[in-house]
Amino acid sequence: MKKISFVWAFLALVMSVSAFGAAPKKKINVGFSQIGAESAWRIADTESIISEAKKRPNIELKFSDAQQKQENQIKVIRSFIAQKVDVIGFTPVVETGYEPVLREAKKAKIPVIIIDRTVDVKDTSLWVTHIGSDMVEEGRKVAKFMIAKGWKGNIAEMVGTVGSSAAIDRRQGFMEIVKNHPELKVVLSKSGNFTRSEGKKVMETFLKDKGKNINILYAHNDDMAIGAIQAIEEYGLRPGVDIKIISCDGIHDAFQAMIEGKLNCTVECNPLLGPQFFDAVEDLKAGKKLPKETITKESIFPMEVAKDIMPTRKY
Ligand code: GYE
């Protein structure tokens, strides 16, 4: 009896000493400012960030949704600075206007990681690393696809959020190639703000303006293309046949539309950036040097492969 209680006492001592020794490690406080929830892509991106944070016990995430407003982002980044978070992550809704707040973060010695869209600042030391897609290349892929398929005629371009790098770059890459192809002519160009509902409205105005003279629709994201498909059907034309359609992202509903023959192609853009983001956060805190830029590898999916590929899609 005596011996047993001695063993217990010894065990209790060992446990209390080790509890002391292994003082709980300080968590890494991360503030993340997301753009909003404008598209299925964005929702998948948010899900990836939040679920990845939950998997990592050493991460404490403060997630904030800016509801598409730059001023909300600037405000929340300022509050992250005031709270002295360890790392700030954010996806800029537009390219410009963040310089002052980024300077404040730098002054407070809080590193900034940029995810997905980029910022246009002269002093690139204001952010540590960028993880996202090459959207100029995505625009080029769209143009190359049209040329490879022998598409010809009048193009309606549905632009993403005005001033966002996603819209600027997808247009730039596209125009770079199309300008040397007189058989492809952009006759309409208007922003649908990356949403389904605005995509539908913009397509209605396109159809009112040019009707059957539109041969091709290039939508900067799948959600706008899906909105446009509805408008085209309501107008009495066949999306994917009377008007060829190509868009960017590769969301589940785009694959569904391709299977139904209403969308001709989607250029992939990967939103599942959570794991890479938190790897970068941890590397940074471990003192590792990060590459200035990490570009996501992406593919392009024409409608012919949609049925086979669909079950493998993760967003
Ligand atoms: O294509 C769109 C989203 O920035 C790449 O933003 C992202 C774009 C994406 O709303 O669906």
Side-chain angles (χ1 to χ4, degrees):
M1 187 65 187
K2 236 187 181 170
K3 201 173 176 189
I4 293 176
S5 59
F6 173 76
V7 170
W8 275 116
F10 180 72
L11 268 179
L13 184 71
V14 169
M15 279 162 68
S16 65
V17 168
S18 61
F20 254 113
K25 249 184 148 185
K26 202 183 155 282
K27 288 195 175 202
I28 307 174
N29 275 304
V30 182
F32 189 86
S33 168
Q34 178 61 290
I35 290 177
E38 72 282 5
S39 63
W41 191 101
R42 184 69 49 208
I43 291 163
D45 181 47
T46 291
E47 219 280 309
S48 170
I49 290 164
I50 292 179
S51 65
E52 188 61 28
K54 285 195 185 132
K55 284 186 203 153
R56 303 190 187 212
N58 58 333
I59 297 285
E60 184 70 43
L61 174 66
K62 296 178 207 304
F63 183 90
S64 174
D65 177 334
Q67 319 233 323
Q68 302 271 12
K69 292 207 173 78
Q70 180 175 41
E71 69 245 41
N72 291 347
Q73 286 203 300
I74 293 174
K75 233 186 256 163
V76 82
I77 293 171
R78 280 208 172 109
S79 92
F80 291 153
I81 298 171
Q83 292 169 63
K84 297 190 169 49
V85 298
D86 297 302
V87 180
I88 292 172
F90 90 112
T91 296
V93 58
V94 288
E95 275 190 339
T96 55
Y98 293 95
E99 211 144 341
V101 78
L102 290 179
R103 248 184 265 123
E104 289 165 35
K106 193 179 174 190
K107 214 170 143 212
K109 296 197 169 50
I110 302 174
V112 174
I113 298 178
I114 297 186
I115 296 293
D116 167 27
R117 298 183 192 169
T118 51
V119 283
D120 185 4
V121 289
K122 277 202 194 81
D123 178 3
T124 55
S125 78
L126 295 179
W127 47 275
V128 180
T129 186
H130 167 243
I131 303 165
S133 308
D134 181 345
M135 297 187 215
V136 176
E137 187 54 29
E138 289 170 359
R140 288 189 197 113
K141 282 180 186 167
V142 170
K144 284 180 189 165
F145 182 85
M146 291 181 185
I147 293 157
K149 288 281 170 187
W151 291 3
K152 283 182 182 55
N154 293 330
I155 302 171
E157 182 194 25
M158 204 172 280
V159 178
T161 300
V162 174
S164 69
S165 67
I168 293 168
D169 293 354
R170 283 176 183 167
R171 164 155 245 266
Q172 186 195 313
F174 178 67
M175 294 309 288
E176 199 182 273
I177 293 182
V178 158
K179 70 172 196 282
N180 300 320
H181 284 264
E183 78 279 15
L184 292 167
K185 232 169 99 195
V186 180
V187 294
L188 291 159
S189 183
K190 196 169 187 251
S191 171
N193 210 16
F194 281 132
T195 70
R196 236 170 248 216
S197 57
E198 284 181 66
K200 181 166 187 270
K201 277 193 209 126
V202 170
M203 193 67 216
E204 282 163 0
T205 64
F206 282 170
L207 287 163
K208 222 178 194 173
D209 191 359
K210 296 260 186 287
K212 283 187 180 154
N213 292 324
I214 302 169
N215 307 105
I216 300 163
L217 172 68
Y218 165 31
H220 286 190
N221 82 343
D222 291 338
D223 279 89
M224 292 190 294
I226 288 160
I229 286 170
Q230 261 190 44
I232 295 168
E233 284 180 326
E234 284 172 19
Y235 187 82
L237 291 173
R238 291 165 303 168
V241 181
D242 300 321
I243 298 180
K244 305 271 189 226
I245 310 175
I246 179 165
S247 49
C248 301
D249 279 356
I251 61 169
H252 183 276
D253 286 0
F255 278 78
Q256 190 54 44
M258 288 196 289
I259 290 169
E260 290 166 14
K262 298 176 181 177
L263 176 70
N264 302 82
C265 182
T266 184
V267 170
E268 186 183 35
C269 181
N270 185 3
L272 308 177
L273 300 169
Q276 273 171 288
F277 172 58
F278 289 108
D279 282 351
V281 166
E282 289 179 9
D283 284 352
L284 202 60
K285 291 320 279 176
K288 289 190 193 154
K289 188 155 168 38
L290 299 178
K292 196 73 187 169
E293 196 94 56
T294 307
I295 300 295
T296 322
K297 284 203 186 78
E298 282 148 355
S299 196
I300 172 165
F301 302 108
M303 67 195 321
E304 293 77 17
V305 304
K307 201 159 174 255
D308 289 340
I309 300 285
M310 172 92 135
T312 68
R313 300 299 294 165
K314 301 218 162 42
Y315 60 93

